[in-house]
Amino acid sequence: MARLLLVEDEDFLARSLQVGLEDELYLVDRAGNGEEALWHARSGHHDAMILDLRIPPPSGLDVCRCLRAEGRKLPILILTACDTPQEVVAGLDAGADDYLTKPFAFEVLLARLRALLRRGSGGQSAELRVGNLRIDTAGHRVYRAGREISLTRMEFLLLENFARNPGALQSRSKLSALLWEDELGPDSNSLDVLISSLRKKLDPDHPRRLIQTKRGLGYILIEESELG
Amino acid sequence: MRGMTIQNTLRAWFFLLTTLLLVVFSTVLYLGVRRSLFQALDAEIGARAEAFLSSVEWEEGRAHVEAGDLLGGAVDDKWGVELRDAGSGRILTRVGAALPPLKQKPLALSMPRFVTLPGSPPRRLGLFARDLEKEEMGEEAEERERREGPRCFLRISRSMASIEAQLAGVRWTILVLGGFSLLVLLAFSLFLSWRLVRPLRDLGETAKRVQANGQKGLPRSHNGDEVDQLAAILEDAFGALLAALDRQRRFTSDASHELRNPIAGIQNAAEVALRQRRSPEEYQAFLQDILGSSQRMGRLVSALLLLARMDQGMEVQKEPTDISMLLAQCALDLDPGGKRIQIQGPSQLTAKVQPELLRILCENLLQNSLHYTPKESPIEVRILAPNPVPVQGQGSASPRPRLIFRDHGPGIPPSLQDHIFDRFVRGAQANPNRDGAGLGLSLVAEIARVHSFDLQVHFLEDGVQFELGL
């Protein structure tokens, strides 16, 4: 699941952006000025950054130049009200990968982000395929036999983890740690609830479950071919 | 093409004037030549008259003339001679070409008189009077001549064909030379006008380029002539104009940037909110953001409108206003607890101002102080009544009421001190969600300007002091 760094000093805009992006199953970290932006970006946890140019110092352009000078390849999308050709050129020349001017359509922002993440994966396909299951890791969309399945964030995170390691056993504690950054989770039941809702969405009319329980050990995702 | 008109006018005047001069000179020259030719002719006629008269032999009142002798053997059509009796007008003798009849009997001709007779060719006629019995003239004869006039007179004429021919030659010469001169003058006028207008045209061309792509330099000869002075003036004017244009462009760009942010906020919040069904709490949060953005935009638009109106020279409707009351209300609105803003001064002080604008001014100054200074630091406002007597140590009287705003904070960094009244300049610590767009102090300066208030800033180590002379 892609983790984004949102650098925007306008609270009114940043809040709705964050909610919108989280609805699209992205993990979002926010920074309100250049310093915070640099601090977050240097952690190396993010897959892409949405950067406003006019922020409390250092400015968006300086943040961009600074990160590129440090050799960081973090994809950067500049989202700003500055729309003159010179400003766009300056932004892209400072090392940004894309440039979008405000006001913008949220759909366009999402599409640009997906494109950026695909490129960011270094030519690697942003798609995971396990049998007839297809997962678009940049766009956070899941298809089974060509039909789109709508998942919540937790469900997607869980499924993406399974799909990256098809046929491998995933222990309960490992899954809990992944989902809640805590081995136990909110309570021991939560994982069961999540698995069962995922199963309901994934195979409502398929004879065998994709995710199988290995009692006492954990869960395993079975490749479609094995299902016969 | 205004430059072309100047060039054409210059050409026309130059050509007209030189042509006129040429015509006048030619005419004077021609008349002069003609006059001298006539004088020479008249002198020749006079000489012939003398020769003729001295050769006449008289016999009982009749003259005997030997034609061959008289005119040096050259009696032909050129010459015509007539000697007449002064009393009867009878022709005594005649030689050469016939003369027209005598129209008027000349009397008392002591000086020769010359006239031109029309004809082809015209003839020059001289009239000479002479008492032919000069030798025998005693006192009696002189007395008679004085009484009766001369005894006889001579008409002698000469054909003017040669003079006509000479004059025709002169006319042709003048015409040919004049025409040639006119052509030369025309060419010269074209060149001169082109040469004179060229710097102007260059200036115009450059001005066009300035207009087109903001180029600043004009072609300067730096020789101090009129065109160079004009170029200098234009350069200054262009400079000021371009600077103003630049400021305007930056202002527009800044304004649109500042407006795009809240618009993007509103649009995005609405868009995201509508993407899926949500709980009432979530909708509420989105609406809150939309409201916040709208309010921000509203404030921005009001400030921009006010600035634009003042830029255009808004008329200020001043009315007597209680300054103390106005300040107290401001302080109450911005600092309801009354913990930070401290007002000192008379409880009532009336001055003629525009109350709405003064309120905006005070609010902006106080808001600035509240935002940029630590939470607990006091903001002092002092109201000084007008003082017509010079204050000791201050040098001058202060006939205006004065307001002094003093805060205690980090002050303004030197890099920003020259720009605090510029539009869209914000302090580094400004939070765009809470603070304005950097228009507050520009509003303050503009309001002071339209009121002709005396606004001064003192940058202190531990804060800023604004002094406003109403």
Side-chain angles (χ1 to χ4, degrees):
Chain A
M1 176 163 305
R3 185 162 176 175
L4 303 178
L5 176 55
L6 173 62
V7 186
E8 171 60 69
D9 61 342
E10 295 256 357
D11 281 344
F12 300 130
L13 177 58
R15 269 199 293 268
S16 65
L17 262 179
Q18 182 170 10
V19 173
L21 290 171
E22 282 173 352
D23 285 348
E24 289 297 309
L25 309 181
Y26 291 104
L27 290 167
V28 180
D29 288 318
R30 256 181 68 185
N33 60 46
E35 237 170 286
E36 281 174 33
L38 279 176
W39 185 83
H40 275 291
R42 282 175 180 144
S43 72
H45 289 154
H46 301 93
D47 299 296
M49 169 154 83
I50 299 173
L51 181 64
D52 187 14
L53 288 186
R54 292 199 191 183
I55 48 174
S59 77
L61 280 184
D62 289 340
V63 169
C64 224
R65 288 196 195 101
C66 197
L67 290 176
R68 291 305 183 232
E70 289 170 14
R72 294 183 191 278
K73 297 210 163 56
L74 174 66
I76 297 175
L77 186 151
I78 290 180
L79 181 65
T80 176
C82 308
D83 68 336
T84 65
Q86 297 91 314
E87 286 165 327
V88 176
V89 169
L92 292 175
D93 283 351
D97 299 279
D98 202 353
Y99 199 104
L100 188 61
T101 53
K102 296 176 190 169
F104 56 92
F106 189 64
E107 290 292 346
V108 174
L109 177 70
L110 289 177
R112 298 247 186 155
L113 270 179
R114 285 198 294 273
L116 210 55
L117 290 169
R118 272 201 303 277
R119 266 177 277 158
S121 59
Q124 212 177 58
S125 170
E127 243 179 37
L128 294 173
R129 281 175 182 276
V130 183
N132 65 0
L133 189 66
R134 187 156 65 86
I135 302 172
D136 171 8
T137 53
H140 300 141
R141 293 200 164 86
V142 178
Y143 303 87
R144 181 140 197 223
R147 191 171 57 85
E148 184 171 354
I149 299 164
S150 168
L151 298 182
T152 67
R153 184 141 65 107
M154 288 302 201
E155 288 162 357
F156 183 85
L157 204 53
L158 195 60
L159 182 63
E160 187 186 1
N161 184 53
F162 278 122
R164 285 193 189 281
N165 312 288
L169 186 68
Q170 307 275 328
S171 71
R172 285 182 66 89
S173 61
K174 193 183 160 198
L175 290 175
S176 277
L178 176 83
L179 293 172
W180 291 287
E181 297 177 353
D182 174 357
E183 303 232 339
L184 288 172
D187 61 75
S188 57
N189 209 23
S190 303
L191 188 59
D192 297 323
V193 173
L194 202 57
I195 294 271
S196 89
S197 80
L198 185 57
R199 276 176 181 157
K200 254 184 228 157
K201 285 180 180 175
L202 279 180
D203 27 38
D205 30 59
H206 287 263
R208 266 185 86 186
R209 291 167 167 176
L210 267 178
I211 299 166
Q212 299 209 328
T213 313
K214 296 282 174 201
R215 203 163 292 279
L217 295 171
Y219 300 93
I220 189 164
L221 180 77
I222 299 175
E223 296 201 45
E224 201 78 17
S225 54
E226 292 173 31
L227 295 173
Chain B
M1 301 297 274
R2 292 200 176 149
M4 294 313 286
T5 311
I6 287 184
Q7 193 171 351
N8 286 341
T9 314
L10 213 61
R11 263 179 215 161
W13 275 108
F14 184 83
F15 193 63
L16 210 72
L17 219 65
T18 47
T19 309
L20 202 72
L21 277 177
L22 199 68
V23 167
V24 167
F25 277 132
S26 316
T27 312
V28 167
L29 185 71
Y30 177 74
L31 290 178
V33 169
R34 189 166 170 268
R35 194 182 141 85
S36 68
L37 282 174
F38 272 52
Q39 274 175 356
L41 187 66
D42 292 349
E44 199 186 349
I45 293 173
R48 285 301 162 114
E50 283 300 322
F52 181 80
L53 287 173
S54 62
S55 70
V56 175
E57 288 174 13
W58 296 86
E59 197 178 305
E60 294 173 1
R62 283 186 174 272
H64 290 278
V65 181
E66 292 290 331
D69 296 340
L70 285 180
L71 297 171
V75 178
D76 52 17
D77 252 10
K78 272 191 196 167
W79 293 94
V81 183
E82 230 179 50
L83 189 68
R84 290 188 187 228
D85 181 69
S88 63
R90 192 166 46 89
I91 294 175
L92 297 176
T93 188
R94 220 192 71 189
V95 183
L99 287 171
L102 189 66
K103 275 181 192 160
Q104 197 184 350
K105 201 167 99 181
L107 282 171
L109 294 175
S110 50
M111 292 286 288
R113 177 180 296 175
F114 295 93
V115 288
T116 302
L117 297 173
S120 179
R123 301 184 76 86
R124 189 71 169 171
L125 178 70
L127 269 105
F128 302 86
R130 177 66 59 93
D131 190 333
L132 292 174
E133 288 159 76
K134 208 189 309 185
E135 289 83 17
E136 305 136 42
M137 227 161 61
E139 277 182 26
E140 193 190 336
E142 277 179 28
E143 182 63 27
R144 199 193 65 218
E145 191 184 358
R146 212 170 294 126
R147 205 173 51 242
E148 295 174 10
R151 297 281 299 280
C152 67
F153 61 90
L154 177 72
R155 289 173 86 202
I156 181 163
S157 75
R158 188 186 189 305
S159 159
M160 282 170 65
S162 62
I163 290 187
E164 283 294 304
Q166 282 184 56
L167 282 179
V170 171
R171 275 201 299 273
W172 271 110
T173 311
I174 285 179
L175 271 180
V176 169
L177 277 180
F180 180 70
S181 311
L182 272 185
L183 281 179
V184 170
L185 280 173
L186 184 67
F188 188 60
S189 77
L190 289 180
F191 168 75
L192 196 72
S193 60
W194 173 79
R195 181 68 190 75
L196 280 177
V197 170
R198 191 178 60 176
L200 276 178
R201 207 174 29 235
D202 290 353
L203 213 60
E205 288 295 318
T206 316
K208 221 182 282 171
R209 281 204 296 282
V210 169
Q211 193 184 17
N213 49 27
Q215 179 191 333
K216 276 187 185 146
L218 288 177
R220 293 283 304 277
S221 54
H222 291 286
N223 57 8
D225 66 6
E226 289 82 350
V227 173
D228 187 49
Q229 288 171 23
L230 179 63
I233 292 168
L234 280 182
E235 213 167 56
D236 287 352
F238 276 138
L241 212 63
L242 286 175
L245 208 65
D246 207 41
R247 266 202 310 279
Q248 189 65 41
R249 203 176 290 154
R250 207 169 45 238
F251 177 67
T252 313
S253 134
D254 284 341
S256 77
H257 176 266
E258 291 296 332
L259 281 172
R260 276 157 193 270
N261 266 323
I263 290 174
I266 292 171
Q267 187 179 328
N268 193 64
E271 230 178 306
V272 170
L274 289 174
R275 280 173 72 84
Q276 61 189 64
R277 291 192 77 81
R278 295 171 190 282
S279 68
E281 289 76 20
E282 279 179 301
Y283 281 127
Q284 225 159 32
F286 280 117
L287 284 174
Q288 207 69 49
D289 283 347
I290 291 176
L291 181 65
S293 287
S294 314
Q295 283 169 339
R296 187 160 143 57
M297 201 154 77
R299 279 198 303 274
L300 193 66
V301 168
S302 314
L304 285 173
L305 267 179
L306 188 56
L307 275 175
R309 270 164 57 209
M310 287 193 285
D311 278 350
Q312 280 167 12
M314 178 179 66
E315 208 172 300
V316 181
Q317 306 274 339
K318 292 186 182 182
E319 52 188 88
T321 310
D322 186 346
I323 309 283
S324 304
M325 174 82 100
L326 191 144
L327 265 170
Q329 280 172 354
C330 273
L332 200 64
D333 287 350
L334 295 174
D335 179 30
K339 285 177 192 132
R340 296 188 59 191
I341 302 176
Q342 300 161 2
I343 302 179
Q344 299 168 4
S347 61
Q348 200 195 351
L349 177 66
T350 308
K352 276 194 89 174
V353 296
Q354 214 287 346
E356 297 302 317
L357 290 180
L358 185 65
R359 196 183 161 86
I360 294 173
L361 186 155
C362 295
E363 273 178 359
N364 275 294
L365 279 181
L366 289 173
Q367 230 155 17
N368 247 26
S369 293
L370 285 169
H371 284 160
Y372 288 100
T373 55
K375 283 268 175 283
E376 306 303 324
S377 67
I379 295 157
E380 291 146 14
V381 181
R382 273 190 296 156
I383 306 169
L384 302 176
N387 182 6
V389 186
V391 176
Q392 197 76 36
Q394 246 179 307
S396 67
S398 161
R400 301 163 143 191
R402 282 190 303 156
L403 303 179
I404 294 177
F405 300 81
R406 167 84 160 95
D407 65 25
H408 300 271
I412 292 170
S415 62
L416 272 184
Q417 286 181 358
D418 285 342
H419 301 288
I420 58 165
F421 292 120
D422 289 356
R423 290 168 191 186
F424 299 111
V425 170
R426 279 194 286 236
Q429 304 308 312
N431 176 349
N433 306 302
R434 183 194 58 193
D435 305 336
L439 287 176
L441 283 182
S442 351
L443 274 176
V444 168
E446 276 299 301
I447 292 172
R449 187 183 64 80
V450 297
H451 274 91
S452 326
F453 288 161
D454 173 29
L455 179 66
Q456 289 177 9
V457 204
H458 303 282
F459 301 108
L460 308 169
E461 271 183 26
D462 64 332
V464 189
Q465 177 167 316
F466 288 95
E467 267 187 56
L468 190 69
L470 297 182

Coordinates of all heavy atoms in Angstrom, one line a residue, chain B residues 150-182:
Chain B
P150 N 11.3 124.9 -75.2 CA 12.3 124.7 -76.2 C 11.7 124.9 -77.6 O 10.5 124.7 -77.8 CB 12.7 123.3 -76.0 CG 11.6 122.6 -75.3 CD 10.9 123.7 -74.5
R151 N 12.6 125.2 -78.5 CA 12.1 125.5 -79.8 C 11.8 124.2 -80.6 O 10.9 124.2 -81.5 CB 13.2 126.3 -80.6 CG 13.6 127.6 -80.0 CD 12.5 128.7 -80.4 NE 12.5 128.8 -81.8 CZ 13.3 129.6 -82.5 NH1 14.2 130.3 -81.9 NH2 13.2 129.7 -83.8
C152 N 12.6 123.2 -80.4 CA 12.3 121.9 -81.1 C 12.7 120.7 -80.2 O 13.3 120.9 -79.1 CB 13.1 121.8 -82.4 SG 14.9 121.7 -82.1
F153 N 12.2 119.6 -80.6 CA 12.6 118.4 -79.8 C 12.8 117.2 -80.7 O 12.4 117.2 -81.9 CB 11.6 118.0 -78.7 CG 10.2 117.7 -79.3 CD1 9.9 116.3 -79.6 CD2 9.3 118.6 -79.4 CE1 8.7 116.0 -80.1 CE2 8.0 118.3 -79.9 CZ 7.7 117.0 -80.2
L154 N 13.5 116.2 -80.2 CA 13.9 115.1 -81.0 C 13.3 113.8 -80.4 O 13.3 113.6 -79.2 CB 15.5 115.0 -80.8 CG 16.1 113.8 -81.5 CD1 16.1 114.0 -83.0 CD2 17.6 113.7 -81.0
R155 N 12.8 113.0 -81.3 CA 12.3 111.7 -80.9 C 13.2 110.7 -81.5 O 13.4 110.7 -82.8 CB 10.9 111.4 -81.3 CG 9.8 112.3 -80.6 CD 8.5 112.1 -81.3 NE 7.8 110.9 -80.7 CZ 6.8 110.3 -81.4 NH1 6.5 110.7 -82.6 NH2 6.2 109.3 -80.9
I156 N 13.9 109.9 -80.8 CA 14.8 108.9 -81.3 C 14.5 107.5 -80.8 O 14.3 107.4 -79.6 CB 16.2 109.3 -81.1 CG1 17.2 108.3 -81.8 CG2 16.6 109.5 -79.6 CD1 18.6 108.9 -81.9
S157 N 14.3 106.6 -81.6 CA 13.9 105.3 -81.1 C 14.9 104.2 -81.6 O 15.6 104.4 -82.6 CB 12.5 104.9 -81.7 OG 12.6 104.6 -83.0
R158 N 14.9 103.1 -80.8 CA 15.8 102.0 -81.2 C 15.0 100.7 -81.0 O 14.3 100.6 -80.0 CB 17.0 102.0 -80.4 CG 18.0 101.0 -80.9 CD 19.2 100.8 -80.0 NE 20.3 100.0 -80.5 CZ 20.2 98.8 -80.9 NH1 19.1 98.2 -81.0 NH2 21.3 98.2 -81.3
S159 N 15.1 99.8 -81.9 CA 14.4 98.5 -81.8 C 15.0 97.8 -80.5 O 16.2 97.9 -80.3 CB 14.7 97.7 -83.0 OG 14.5 96.4 -82.7
M160 N 14.1 97.1 -79.8 CA 14.6 96.4 -78.6 C 14.7 95.0 -78.9 O 14.8 94.1 -78.0 CB 13.6 96.6 -77.5 CG 13.7 98.0 -76.9 SD 12.4 98.4 -75.7 CE 12.6 97.2 -74.5
A161 N 14.8 94.6 -80.2 CA 14.9 93.2 -80.5 C 16.1 92.5 -79.9 O 16.0 91.4 -79.3 CB 15.0 93.0 -82.0
S162 N 17.2 93.2 -79.8 CA 18.4 92.6 -79.3 C 18.3 92.4 -77.8 O 18.6 91.4 -77.2 CB 19.7 93.4 -79.6 OG 19.5 94.7 -79.0
I163 N 17.7 93.5 -77.1 CA 17.4 93.3 -75.7 C 16.5 92.2 -75.4 O 16.7 91.4 -74.5 CB 16.9 94.7 -75.1 CG1 18.0 95.7 -75.2 CG2 16.4 94.5 -73.7 CD1 17.6 97.0 -74.5
E164 N 15.4 92.2 -76.2 CA 14.4 91.1 -76.0 C 15.1 89.7 -76.1 O 14.8 88.9 -75.3 CB 13.3 91.2 -77.1 CG 12.3 92.3 -76.9 CD 11.5 92.0 -75.7 OE1 10.8 91.0 -75.6 OE2 11.5 92.9 -74.7
A165 N 16.0 89.6 -77.1 CA 16.7 88.3 -77.3 C 17.5 88.0 -76.0 O 17.5 86.9 -75.5 CB 17.5 88.4 -78.5
Q166 N 18.2 89.1 -75.6 CA 19.1 88.9 -74.4 C 18.3 88.5 -73.2 O 18.6 87.6 -72.4 CB 19.9 90.2 -74.1 CG 21.0 90.4 -75.0 CD 21.8 91.6 -74.6 OE1 22.3 91.7 -73.4 NE2 22.0 92.5 -75.5
L167 N 17.1 89.3 -73.0 CA 16.3 89.0 -71.9 C 15.7 87.6 -71.9 O 15.6 86.8 -70.9 CB 15.1 90.0 -71.8 CG 15.6 91.3 -71.2 CD1 14.4 92.3 -71.1 CD2 16.1 91.1 -69.8
A168 N 15.3 87.2 -73.2 CA 14.8 85.8 -73.3 C 15.9 84.8 -72.9 O 15.6 83.8 -72.2 CB 14.4 85.6 -74.8
G169 N 17.2 85.1 -73.3 CA 18.3 84.2 -72.9 C 18.4 84.1 -71.4 O 18.5 83.0 -70.8
V170 N 18.3 85.3 -70.8 CA 18.4 85.3 -69.3 C 17.2 84.5 -68.7 O 17.4 83.7 -67.8 CB 18.3 86.8 -68.8 CG1 18.2 86.8 -67.3 CG2 19.6 87.5 -69.2
R171 N 16.0 84.7 -69.2 CA 14.8 84.0 -68.7 C 15.1 82.5 -68.8 O 14.8 81.7 -67.9 CB 13.6 84.4 -69.5 CG 12.9 85.6 -69.0 CD 11.5 85.7 -69.4 NE 11.3 85.8 -70.9 CZ 11.4 86.9 -71.6 NH1 11.5 88.1 -71.0 NH2 11.2 86.9 -72.9
W172 N 15.5 82.1 -70.0 CA 15.8 80.6 -70.1 C 16.8 80.1 -69.2 O 16.6 79.1 -68.5 CB 16.2 80.3 -71.6 CG 15.0 80.1 -72.5 CD1 14.6 80.9 -73.5 CD2 14.2 79.0 -72.4 NE1 13.5 80.4 -74.0 CE2 13.2 79.2 -73.4 CE3 14.1 77.8 -71.6 CZ2 12.2 78.3 -73.7 CZ3 13.1 76.9 -71.9 CH2 12.2 77.1 -72.9
T173 N 17.9 80.9 -69.0 CA 18.9 80.5 -68.1 C 18.3 80.3 -66.7 O 18.6 79.3 -66.0 CB 20.0 81.5 -68.1 OG1 20.4 81.8 -69.4 CG2 21.2 81.0 -67.3
I174 N 17.5 81.4 -66.3 CA 17.0 81.3 -64.9 C 16.0 80.1 -64.8 O 16.1 79.4 -63.8 CB 16.2 82.6 -64.6 CG1 17.2 83.7 -64.4 CG2 15.3 82.5 -63.4 CD1 16.6 85.1 -64.1
L175 N 15.2 79.9 -65.8 CA 14.3 78.8 -65.8 C 15.0 77.4 -65.6 O 14.7 76.6 -64.8 CB 13.4 78.7 -67.0 CG 12.1 79.6 -66.9 CD1 11.3 79.5 -68.2 CD2 11.3 79.1 -65.7
V176 N 16.0 77.3 -66.5 CA 16.8 76.0 -66.5 C 17.5 75.8 -65.1 O 17.3 74.8 -64.5 CB 17.8 75.9 -67.7 CG1 18.7 74.7 -67.5 CG2 17.0 75.8 -69.0
L177 N 18.3 76.9 -64.8 CA 19.0 76.8 -63.5 C 18.0 76.6 -62.3 O 18.3 75.8 -61.4 CB 19.8 78.1 -63.3 CG 21.2 78.1 -64.0 CD1 21.9 79.4 -63.8 CD2 22.0 76.9 -63.5
G178 N 16.9 77.4 -62.4 CA 15.9 77.3 -61.3 C 15.3 76.0 -61.2 O 15.2 75.4 -60.1
G179 N 15.0 75.4 -62.3 CA 14.4 74.0 -62.3 C 15.3 73.0 -61.7 O 15.0 72.2 -60.9
F180 N 16.6 73.2 -62.2 CA 17.6 72.3 -61.7 C 17.8 72.4 -60.2 O 17.8 71.5 -59.4 CB 18.9 72.5 -62.4 CG 20.0 71.6 -62.0 CD1 20.0 70.3 -62.3 CD2 21.1 72.1 -61.2 CE1 21.0 69.5 -61.9 CE2 22.1 71.3 -60.8 CZ 22.1 70.0 -61.1
S181 N 17.8 73.7 -59.7 CA 18.0 74.0 -58.3 C 16.8 73.4 -57.6 O 16.9 72.9 -56.5 CB 18.0 75.5 -58.0 OG 18.9 76.1 -58.9
L182 N 15.6 73.5 -58.1 CA 14.4 73.0 -57.5 C 14.5 71.5 -57.3 O 14.2 71.0 -56.2 CB 13.1 73.3 -58.3 CG 12.5 74.6 -58.0 CD1 11.2 74.8 -58.7 CD2 12.2 74.8 -56.5

